[in-house]
Amino acid sequence: MPSFDTIVIGAGPNGLAAAHRLAKGGASVLVLEAGAVPGGGAAALAHLSYNLDPRVAEGMDLARHGLRWATTALPTTALAADGNHLRMEGVLGERLSGAVDPADIAAWAELRARLLRFAAVLAPLNAMTPPRPAADPKNPLLKLAMIGLKARMMGAAEFRELGRIFLTNVFDLLDDELRSPLLKGALAFDATLGSWLGPRSPNSVLPWLYRLSGQTEGRQGALGLPEGGMPALAAAMVKAATAAGVTLRCNARVERIDVADGTATGVTLTSGEQIAARRIVSALAPKTTLMSLVGPRHLDNGLYTRARLQKARGGAARLDLTLSALPDFRGADPTHRLLIAPSEHHVERAFNPVKYGEVPEEPVMEILIPTARTPAPDGLHRLSAIVQYAPHAPKDCTAARAAMLAACLLQLERHAPGIGAKVTEACLRMPYDIEAETGLPGGNWHAGELSVEQMLFLRPLPGIAQYRTPIAGLWLASAGCNPGGGVSGTPGWNAALAMEADR
Amino acid sequence: MNDLRHYETPLLPTPFHARTEAACKTHAWANWGGYRTVTTFEDLAMEHSAIRNTASVYDLCPMIKYRIEGPDAVAFLDRLTPRNVAKLRVGSVQYTVWCDDAGHLLDDGTLFRLTETRFRLCCQERHLPWLLDSAHGFDVTVTEETEEIAALSLQGPTSAEILRRAGVDIDALKPFRMMEVPFGMGRLMISRTGFTGDLGYELWTTPDLALPLWDHLMQAGALHGLRPIGSDALNIARLEAGFIITGYDFIPAHVCLREDRLRTPLDMGLGWLIDWEKGAFTGRNALMKQRAKGPDWAFVGLEIDGNIPADGAILYRAQKHEAGVVTGACWSPTLKRNIALAQLRADLVKSPDLWAEIYALRELHYAKMMMRARVVDRPFYTPARRTLTPPARF
């Protein structure tokens, strides 16, 4: 058994990005993956790309390792039950057509430009180790000052507007500028996708700006779809990491991180096997890492308690259907991203029952039918949907799953009559299924909720936002760290940079 | 459960109230943790004298008590406190402290190991939320049992003799050890512990046996100078013994508002409690850092010229540079010296040029005195009888 100086736990995009960078830097890196296949959320949950970090794409040379884009500006159709859809083409609805109030075309163009501008100003925060609120000589004061300067250089009016909307909610922001229900519904859906926030939840704009700071192939706000789907993106990352000398072991579930005298010394697998390393990088959720892998005996009570109470509620479920024939969403282009979010009110209403652990009657969802673009060899069609909102802890998990599936199929039937008869297989993974499958606490896609009080230097928790933990040699590198989730590789890359700076 | 007329008795009686009320000639009552407690029963000098020359009883009921029980009790306590709990034998007691993540003191107290897996933690402040949070991930239950236990402190040179006369074979009981005897229809636990620095015991039973216990002791001690004492007399004795009180000598971290007032065990001269080798405990990382650079503060005993107690006095170096503050002081009747406990800047512990600024209010005029203070070893007073086993007969 060769020895490694670094063990990375979890072969998701962040684990692979961190492993690659560390290996390139000369470390001998072993990546341990609990599942049978690597890729984590990139392979199993996400179905399109919105924020792949260009540093990761270039640093790992993903193009050379097989990443091809089917499209780097996936258009969206916001579905109307009567067939009078809204089409949003180009990057982030650059061009609107169909069911849109004429006044909204100009209003959206202005709001869109402003949101992208604000997101771009804040984007450098994504790529840095968050500062410590207490004076710390390592704080990136110059970078922070540059962000402030760039924000101010937008002009007094825009700077004030950024301040005005920064902590407001999506519903009010949209209500200020727009009136078309389908447009507002689509934007409200995107803004809250993957979070445990409704459009009316306070502070819901900032997570949306985080989403909009992402890019695909250099185009900010663009949605990308890799050829072969998101598993192909994961596969390219695996190839790149392996080519960089990273050793990957699947079916190797870490039972605990071994700690002696406050220092991580290695890991013990569920098989009982112990593997020693000087440096352990956990790309699992920080909450899971601290509570389950390290445990209370090695951590101060205050930190452990904060980890225990960290908010991690998932509101998104993933639906996968196998269909005998291509469904017809009343004439909508099936290669588009299809949204069922008839209005901003529908999004909020879908969130309401989830607060009480109940299932919404009319869930909102984002639908992709990859086989409409590239036919499958078996002639069947595959539909995937991210459905919101699903309760993460209902009273009866089996009943909630059945009710949610029924509600989803009913909602689909409303928009694509006859789709129900075409379904040959249906699989709905609720947040608790996702938690059981991936270990993401609460089934939250960001490995810890992405909300203002858990962002930047508060992410994942105050005191450990710099990727370092109180356990010497143990680092955090998951979506639970700054800046957050998505198939970006950003937190993993940032963590590797922090480790390099530590030497 | 909610008594809607609770406001009529904002201070609760302790299980000994019927006797303490009858004995309290001065009606000098004070609030201690929500209970009515006596500051002086009759005469402060006589009460202090009883501690040092005969024997005293002191009602300990308001002391906060937690029961900690379960297979992981030792692991839980070893993570909670810096002392090594695994080394505490069944039937023994240890003085201990606990800290937050930053190593700042939350409280001090005494930890009783009742069985392999059952402990009692006695302390000044209420800490149930912190203890319950700390218990997460451990197979242990933490229960507040303050109201389930009646506790009485029996302290003084004749205390052992009084217990003998009360029918307890006390001779083999060593300091910081405990024993249990039948009493009435129940049990009485006796620990050789106390807050006076003298020979003494603490007696623990159920509230229904509180009054019979009081009467039994008073009868047994009638010819041995036994008298009830209040908090004022105890405070003088504890100062002579050099013991600290949470909230007086340091401000516990969970209620402290000012960052520069937080204190660690190292600041408070309690570094000797810390087992650096036992592994993780809450605050260890922070304390290791502080140990490496040395604490900013020291906690010292002072002898101060004159006979005016220096309570709250500011300490100076060379009569003009602030050096610390007196946290507790008294004229010691036992030593006939003016003593004080103080937080002092660590770099000035060896300074020969320390002064206490004492303001004495004399008929509406302050007499301001700058008195020389000398750092001396603590405890100020520690009689050999405190640890003598078996204790002397009277």
Side-chain angles (χ1 to χ4, degrees):
Chain A
M1 177 82 205
S3 68
F4 299 92
D5 52 42
T6 301
I7 292 172
V8 175
I9 307 171
N14 289 307
L16 292 170
H20 181 277
R21 185 163 178 108
L22 294 170
K24 280 281 186 189
S28 62
V29 183
L30 171 67
V31 176
L32 296 172
E33 166 59 42
V37 289
L45 296 175
H47 63 181
L48 49 78
S49 169
Y50 66 91
N51 67 347
L52 178 61
D53 192 322
R55 297 175 303 168
V56 174
E58 283 156 32
M60 297 181 81
D61 202 355
L62 295 179
R64 194 163 67 83
H65 292 100
L67 176 64
R68 302 277 178 276
W69 294 100
T71 171
T72 53
L74 183 65
T76 296
T77 295
L79 298 172
D82 62 1
N84 190 14
H85 306 312
L86 165 70
R87 281 171 301 282
M88 307 169 70
E89 282 162 301
V91 172
L92 188 65
E94 221 168 352
R95 297 180 301 281
L96 303 180
S97 59
V100 62
D101 188 309
D104 271 2
I105 293 185
W108 167 239
E110 196 175 323
L111 178 60
R112 175 185 176 279
R114 179 176 290 148
L115 290 171
L116 287 173
R117 190 157 57 238
F118 291 171
V121 161
L122 299 175
L125 291 170
N126 297 346
M128 68 168 62
T129 296
R132 288 181 185 277
D136 181 334
K138 285 188 201 151
N139 276 349
L141 294 178
L142 192 64
K143 281 185 191 168
L144 291 170
M146 284 303 292
I147 293 170
L149 186 66
K150 279 196 175 148
R152 186 63 189 81
M153 277 165 55
M154 294 188 299
E158 285 298 273
F159 185 64
R160 193 184 308 122
E161 183 64 7
L162 174 60
R164 188 183 73 84
I165 71 164
F166 196 66
L167 297 180
T168 188
N169 68 77
V170 168
F171 184 95
D172 287 350
L173 176 67
L174 296 176
D175 217 37
D176 283 344
E177 315 289 345
L178 305 172
R179 52 178 89 158
S180 306
L182 277 179
L183 178 59
K184 290 165 84 177
L187 296 172
F189 178 88
D190 272 357
T192 53
L193 187 57
S195 62
W196 209 83
L197 299 168
R200 276 195 168 101
S201 301
N203 311 332
S204 44
V205 168
L206 195 58
W208 191 18
L209 291 177
Y210 165 66
R211 179 179 168 88
L212 294 178
S213 69
Q215 55 167 283
T216 301
E217 289 286 282
R219 284 202 285 177
Q220 189 197 349
L223 299 177
L225 186 63
E227 266 178 26
M230 292 301 278
L233 171 52
M237 294 186 91
V238 171
K239 262 193 192 168
T242 312
V246 170
T247 306
L248 173 65
R249 266 180 73 183
C250 290
N251 296 311
R253 183 177 291 278
V254 173
E255 165 102 7
R256 64 166 187 272
I257 294 168
D258 299 317
V259 178
D261 196 26
T263 302
T265 57
V267 299
T268 301
L269 305 184
T270 45
S271 64
E273 182 186 346
Q274 287 189 310
I275 310 173
R278 282 186 299 113
R279 182 166 60 188
I280 312 294
V281 181
S282 174
L284 305 192
K287 190 175 183 126
T288 312
T289 305
L290 296 177
M291 289 184 68
S292 306
L293 298 187
V294 176
R297 281 159 210 242
H298 299 293
L299 293 169
D300 286 350
N301 176 40
L303 175 65
Y304 180 84
T305 301
R306 286 199 300 281
R308 185 162 63 80
L309 301 179
Q310 191 215 22
K311 293 198 290 183
R313 295 163 295 186
R318 168 143 176 170
L319 176 68
D320 285 281
L321 298 180
T322 306
L323 303 163
S324 56
L326 191 63
D328 174 21
F329 284 87
R330 297 191 201 274
D333 185 338
T335 66
H336 281 199
R337 178 175 77 126
L338 306 175
L339 291 184
I340 300 180
S343 74
E344 69 281 25
H345 296 291
H346 280 81
V347 183
E348 186 70 34
R349 268 193 221 111
F351 182 51
N352 286 344
V354 170
K355 298 171 196 164
Y356 312 102
E358 290 158 12
V359 170
E361 280 177 27
E362 292 186 50
V364 289
M365 64 183 83
E366 171 188 84
I367 301 162
L368 286 188
I369 312 173
T371 47
R373 192 181 284 274
T374 315
D378 58 8
L380 299 175
H381 283 274
R382 305 284 184 311
L383 177 152
S384 60
I386 314 296
V387 188
Q388 294 211 138
Y389 296 84
H392 71 287
K395 279 197 198 88
D396 180 341
C397 288
T398 309
R401 190 188 301 107
M404 190 81 191
L405 181 60
C408 288
L409 292 175
L410 195 63
Q411 186 75 314
L412 284 167
E413 190 70 29
R414 262 186 218 116
H415 291 83
I419 191 174
K422 299 189 175 98
V423 175
T424 61
E425 264 182 79
C427 170
L428 178 67
R429 285 179 288 164
M430 297 287 275
Y432 40 89
D433 300 320
I434 290 166
E435 176 168 21
E437 185 187 319
T438 65
L440 289 170
N444 181 276
W445 290 39
H446 290 280
E449 282 173 47
L450 191 69
S451 52
V452 174
E453 71 279 19
Q454 294 188 169
M455 286 174 84
L456 206 63
F457 58 85
L458 305 174
R459 185 165 189 83
L461 296 167
I464 57 166
Q466 289 74 29
Y467 307 99
R468 175 199 300 276
T469 70
I471 307 290
L474 173 63
W475 297 78
L476 300 174
S478 80
C481 303
N482 181 65
V487 182
S488 67
T490 305
W493 201 261
N494 287 357
L497 285 171
M499 287 175 238
E500 285 167 17
D502 191 51
R503 269 180 291 160
Chain B
M1 285 297 284
N2 282 324
D3 177 3
L4 294 178
R5 304 186 74 82
H6 62 88
Y7 59 88
E8 290 176 355
T9 50
L11 292 184
L12 296 169
T14 77
F16 295 105
H17 188 73
R19 297 294 180 273
T20 53
E21 187 181 34
C24 183
K25 306 272 168 58
T26 60
H27 288 284
W29 298 91
N31 177 1
W32 172 16
Y35 288 91
R36 258 174 281 173
T37 59
V38 177
T39 57
T40 302
F41 277 88
E42 194 172 348
D43 182 277
L44 177 58
M46 292 299 286
E47 287 167 34
H48 177 267
S49 175
I51 298 172
R52 294 294 179 223
N53 299 306
T54 55
S56 63
V57 286
Y58 180 71
D59 180 358
L60 272 184
C61 296
M63 175 84 73
I64 306 299
K65 297 170 274 290
Y66 296 104
R67 183 168 59 243
I68 293 158
E69 196 166 15
D72 284 346
V74 171
F76 162 80
L77 287 162
D78 261 332
R79 196 270 204 126
L80 177 77
T81 67
R83 264 196 112 159
N84 193 320
V85 178
K87 284 186 184 164
L88 181 66
R89 287 181 300 147
V90 172
S92 283
V93 186
Q94 66 179 203
Y95 172 69
T96 192
V97 294
W98 54 103
C99 306
D100 65 10
D101 291 18
H104 296 134
L105 282 165
L106 288 166
D107 209 344
D108 68 343
T110 41
L111 182 67
F112 295 72
R113 187 163 195 174
L114 304 172
T115 70
E116 280 295 324
T117 56
R118 189 154 58 88
F119 292 80
R120 177 179 299 154
L121 182 62
C122 297
C123 54
Q124 179 79 359
E125 303 273 323
R126 292 184 188 269
H127 292 284
L128 193 59
W130 181 261
L131 297 178
L132 290 177
D133 281 345
S134 294
H136 204 274
F138 292 88
D139 187 358
V140 68
T141 57
V142 180
T143 316
E144 162 143 15
E145 57 175 9
T146 303
E147 293 189 16
E148 293 166 34
I149 291 169
L152 203 57
S153 181
L154 173 68
Q155 304 277 313
T158 64
S159 56
E161 187 66 22
I162 291 169
L163 283 175
R164 284 187 202 110
R165 282 168 181 264
V168 180
D169 180 8
I170 202 72
D171 284 0
L173 190 65
K174 291 180 176 168
F176 290 102
R177 294 284 297 165
M178 53 186 151
M179 60 187 281
E180 205 176 68
V181 294
F183 181 73
M185 298 296 285
R187 316 279 302 167
L188 178 66
M189 201 263 277
I190 302 173
S191 58
R192 188 163 168 187
T193 50
F195 205 51
T196 60
D198 216 303
L199 172 66
Y201 304 87
E202 287 170 330
L203 314 177
W204 314 79
T205 188
T206 46
D208 58 307
L209 295 176
L211 298 182
L213 174 64
W214 179 284
D215 295 341
H216 190 59
L217 284 179
M218 283 301 176
Q219 201 175 5
L223 298 177
H224 286 79
L226 180 63
R227 66 188 299 152
I229 62 161
S231 308
D232 289 347
L234 181 69
N235 189 48
I236 294 173
R238 74 98 188 176
L239 286 168
E240 291 172 337
F243 292 148
I244 66 174
I245 302 183
T246 302
Y248 288 77
D249 298 296
F250 69 92
I251 305 301
H254 64 300
V255 297
C256 185
L257 299 178
R258 296 165 179 83
E259 278 192 354
D260 63 340
R261 314 297 153 88
L262 296 160
R263 292 292 178 267
T264 70
L266 300 174
D267 294 327
M268 290 300 295
L270 297 171
W272 61 276
L273 291 173
I274 301 171
D275 184 340
W276 299 101
E277 306 306 319
K278 73 168 181 172
F281 59 85
T282 297
R284 181 173 187 258
N285 276 345
L287 291 170
M288 283 184 30
K289 277 187 198 147
Q290 194 194 24
R291 180 175 64 159
K293 76 172 181 63
D296 292 335
W297 290 93
F299 192 74
V300 297
L302 295 175
E303 277 185 28
I304 297 173
D305 283 356
N307 61 3
I308 313 295
D311 278 301
I314 297 176
L315 298 172
Y316 293 90
R317 180 178 63 81
Q319 301 200 22
K320 58 182 175 193
H321 305 291
E322 265 191 44
V325 67
V326 169
T327 58
C330 69
W331 168 257
S332 162
T334 311
L335 301 164
K336 310 290 184 247
R337 286 203 300 257
N338 199 22
I339 61 171
L341 297 177
Q343 292 187 2
L344 181 65
R345 270 176 40 194
D347 56 328
L348 296 178
V349 168
K350 294 198 171 6
S351 168
D353 196 11
L354 292 175
W355 301 81
E357 185 180 40
I358 301 170
Y359 288 79
L361 188 61
R362 294 288 177 263
E363 297 180 333
L364 300 184
H365 275 261
Y366 274 109
K368 180 184 163 185
M369 288 159 270
M370 195 59 96
M371 305 302 273
R372 185 174 282 281
R374 281 170 302 279
V375 175
V376 296
D377 287 342
R378 281 188 296 151
F380 300 97
Y381 177 70
T382 179
R385 62 177 175 258
R386 187 175 74 88
T387 51
L388 187 65
T389 307
R393 309 194 75 92
F394 284 91

